[in-house]
Amino acid sequence: MVAVQHEQGARDRILNAARDLCTANGFHQSAMAELAAAAQVSVGQIYRLFKGKEDIIEAIVACDSRDREAIMMDLQARLQAGEIGIERTFELLLLEVMDDPHEALSFDILAEASRNERVGGTIADMCVHLRKFLGDFACVANPALSGEALKSAEEIILACLFGLGHRSLSAPTISAERTAKQAASMIVAALRAMD
């Protein structure tokens, strides 16, 4: 049991160090020796836990996917309990994606996903789960949504999440809070206008 906990602790340290190192230097520019030093493990231990960098990236995506799903479940529970309304739900979701200290790493991950089928599949699986929540949220804003209109709404909202998650490159002129509030209002207005 202690060995399993030790291994999980090392795995977590490696993933956290990889996030930081790859954000600063880029995925392919980060050496395993640098990663080992940052994670306070040996290079051998990295290779015992991961086959290579691609496996590390896939593990980061899987971990981030679980975190996103937990956030969505929390927002859904708060919405269903009446603690927050649908506009606030979207606002909090948008703030969550805009508050990513590893935004630069996500560009490397997306590039890797286009080259690496496994990483691409992990991202696609994450999007399948996200679409389910986004569809549920869309139906709260407009209960009449179904079929192609609902699928379109899911895609547009997902595109907003991806785009706003990478907004730093566009040199934004308003705060993340104001952007999230305005974008949530626009999303809900658009959903309500759909038939």
Side-chain angles (χ1 to χ4, degrees):
M1 181 70 162
V2 173
V4 171
Q5 289 174 336
H6 178 71
E7 188 172 286
Q8 185 60 46
R11 184 177 172 81
D12 291 344
R13 284 195 316 277
I14 292 165
L15 293 179
N16 290 332
R19 279 186 182 94
D20 293 339
L21 190 62
C22 294
T23 296
N25 302 332
F27 175 62
H28 291 289
Q29 293 74 24
S30 299
M32 285 297 206
E34 291 176 294
L35 177 56
Q40 299 176 334
V41 298
S42 68
V43 172
Q45 187 168 19
I46 292 174
Y47 282 111
R48 279 191 297 281
L49 297 171
F50 302 97
K51 291 179 187 171
K53 285 184 185 178
E54 292 79 13
D55 281 356
I56 293 170
I57 288 296
E58 187 177 2
I60 288 171
V61 171
C63 182
D64 289 351
S65 179
R66 286 188 300 274
D67 291 348
R68 287 262 189 256
E69 190 165 346
I71 289 164
M72 295 288 230
M73 289 173 67
D74 178 62
L75 287 172
Q76 188 174 50
R78 292 173 67 192
L79 178 63
Q80 289 173 346
E83 181 184 325
I84 57 176
I86 190 58
E87 213 166 289
R88 182 70 175 151
T89 300
F90 280 118
E91 183 180 343
L92 292 171
L93 179 57
L94 292 165
L95 277 170
E96 186 65 40
V97 300
M98 287 189 280
D99 186 31
D100 184 359
H102 300 106
E103 179 183 349
L105 175 59
S106 68
F107 289 107
D108 272 350
I109 289 172
L110 292 174
E112 185 62 27
S114 68
R115 293 184 294 266
N116 182 318
E117 193 173 311
R118 280 188 14 228
V119 174
T122 303
I123 290 174
D125 290 345
M126 176 184 70
C127 290
V128 167
H129 289 103
L130 291 178
R131 279 187 191 94
K132 170 70 174 108
F133 286 103
L134 296 176
D136 290 348
F137 295 159
C139 287
V140 170
N142 183 348
L145 285 176
S146 65
E148 191 173 299
L150 178 58
K151 295 296 179 197
S152 296
E154 293 169 4
E155 289 303 314
I156 292 166
I157 297 165
L158 190 59
C160 288
L161 293 175
F162 269 88
L164 288 172
H166 300 96
R167 76 190 276 270
S168 68
L169 290 179
S170 68
T173 58
I174 62 174
S175 70
E177 292 78 14
R178 191 75 183 134
T179 300
K181 187 169 187 59
Q182 292 298 320
S185 178
M186 291 170 70
I187 288 169
V188 171
L191 289 169
R192 288 183 175 149
M194 292 178 74
D195 36 324

